[in-house]
Amino acid sequence: MEKKFYYSSPKSLAQDWYAQLMLFLAIIANLAMWIIIYQRIEPTRDLIALHYTIYFGINFIGEWYKILYIPFLGIFIGCVNALFGHFLYNKNKIGSYILITSAFVIQLILLYSVHLVTSYIIS
């Protein structure tokens, strides 16, 4: 009787080194968003610019706390992608890697948008 040796891969996304790295980097990017907002935004009654385009300039203003929607959106997207990636891991590892990597890339895009929006606010 012949024994077959298979490469034993982790059975869970939480045990995979690439997924751990991507999720760690996504968490770091989200924490950076919170730090930028904490350093640059002061609670005030004045309205602040929440969206800026090169064509129209400031096209969305609102209360200061609405800037917090961006990191909360990042947390939500990261959790949804991690959850779907976890369920997809044993059936399709490439698909779960794409989900986890996209969670990190989305965090970077949101981090850049927080930086741009808050860099023009004069406190």
Side-chain angles (χ1 to χ4, degrees):
M1 205 155 129
E2 188 178 316
K3 285 188 177 181
K4 293 184 180 180
F5 295 101
Y6 295 102
Y7 171 73
S8 63
S9 64
K11 302 290 184 204
S12 171
L13 185 69
Q15 297 171 343
D16 191 279
W17 69 269
Y18 180 77
Q20 287 177 353
L21 177 66
M22 286 295 115
L23 288 175
F24 176 74
L25 292 175
I27 290 169
I28 295 298
N30 196 283
L31 286 174
M33 277 188 266
W34 288 104
I35 291 169
I36 288 172
I37 290 172
Y38 178 75
Q39 289 178 344
R40 296 182 182 172
I41 304 291
E42 292 180 11
T44 181
R45 297 179 77 183
D46 298 331
L47 299 176
I48 63 170
L50 296 173
H51 190 259
Y52 180 86
T53 63
I54 60 171
Y55 298 113
F56 304 114
I58 297 171
N59 61 359
F60 186 61
I61 59 173
E63 293 82 13
W64 69 271
Y65 61 85
K66 290 188 178 178
I67 195 80
L68 299 176
Y69 293 166
I70 297 173
F72 279 127
L73 177 67
I75 291 171
F76 177 74
I77 290 172
C79 288
V80 168
N81 281 5
L83 186 67
F84 284 150
H86 175 72
F87 289 129
L88 189 65
Y89 183 74
N90 287 326
K91 294 177 184 151
N92 186 357
K93 287 185 184 167
I94 300 297
S96 67
Y97 287 162
I98 290 171
L99 283 170
I100 296 300
T101 305
S102 68
F104 171 59
V105 171
I106 289 169
Q107 296 293 332
L108 289 179
I109 292 169
L110 291 175
L111 176 63
Y112 186 63
S113 69
V114 164
H115 166 69
L116 288 178
V117 168
T118 60
S119 64
Y120 296 110
I121 295 175
I122 301 171
S123 298

